[in-house]
Amino acid sequence: SAKPDLADLNANPMNLFIIEDQEINGPVMELFVDNLEEARDELLAHGCKVLRWRGKSQDCYIQDPFGLVFNLWEVE
């Protein structure tokens, strides 16, 4: 499969990137969490929806009710 177009700004402890692929287009804020599943459940309880969920150490995109997209990443 083709790799998506990507522009990345690394600003530890948070990343911002622009991605263009079949499912996700535009800016994505990458958030680092202690527990991936708990973070997903908390966000879903507050109106967010899952766009792509591949699990720990992979893409986990969630969109908030305002349209902002986040990639959750579990810290080890």
Side-chain angles (χ1 to χ4, degrees), residues 30-34 36 57-60 71-75:
E30 190 165 53
L31 301 176
F32 300 95
V33 298
D34 292 327
L36 192 60
S57 299
Q58 298 183 55
D59 294 338
C60 294
N71 184 36
L72 301 181
W73 199 264
E74 187 172 312
V75 292

Side-chain angles (χ1 to χ4, degrees), residues 3-76:
K3 193 172 188 178
D5 291 330
L6 177 73
D8 188 12
L9 172 63
N10 245 336
N12 200 9
M14 178 175 48
N15 294 333
L16 173 66
F17 56 93
I18 311 291
I19 189 169
E20 183 178 347
D21 73 8
Q22 292 178 347
E23 300 166 323
I24 312 296
N25 288 298
V28 176
M29 183 90 65
E30 190 165 53
L31 301 176
F32 300 95
V33 298
D34 292 327
N35 185 301
L36 192 60
E37 304 299 324
E38 286 179 10
R40 178 194 60 199
D41 293 345
E42 181 74 18
L43 290 166
L44 291 177
H46 288 88
C48 295
K49 67 178 180 178
V50 172
L51 299 178
R52 179 187 301 157
W53 195 266
R54 295 188 175 153
K56 190 173 178 179
S57 299
Q58 298 183 55
D59 294 338
C60 294
Y61 293 115
I62 291 192
Q63 187 175 44
D64 76 6
F66 304 101
L68 225 83
V69 177
F70 299 91
N71 184 36
L72 301 181
W73 199 264
E74 187 172 312
V75 292
E76 296 182 19

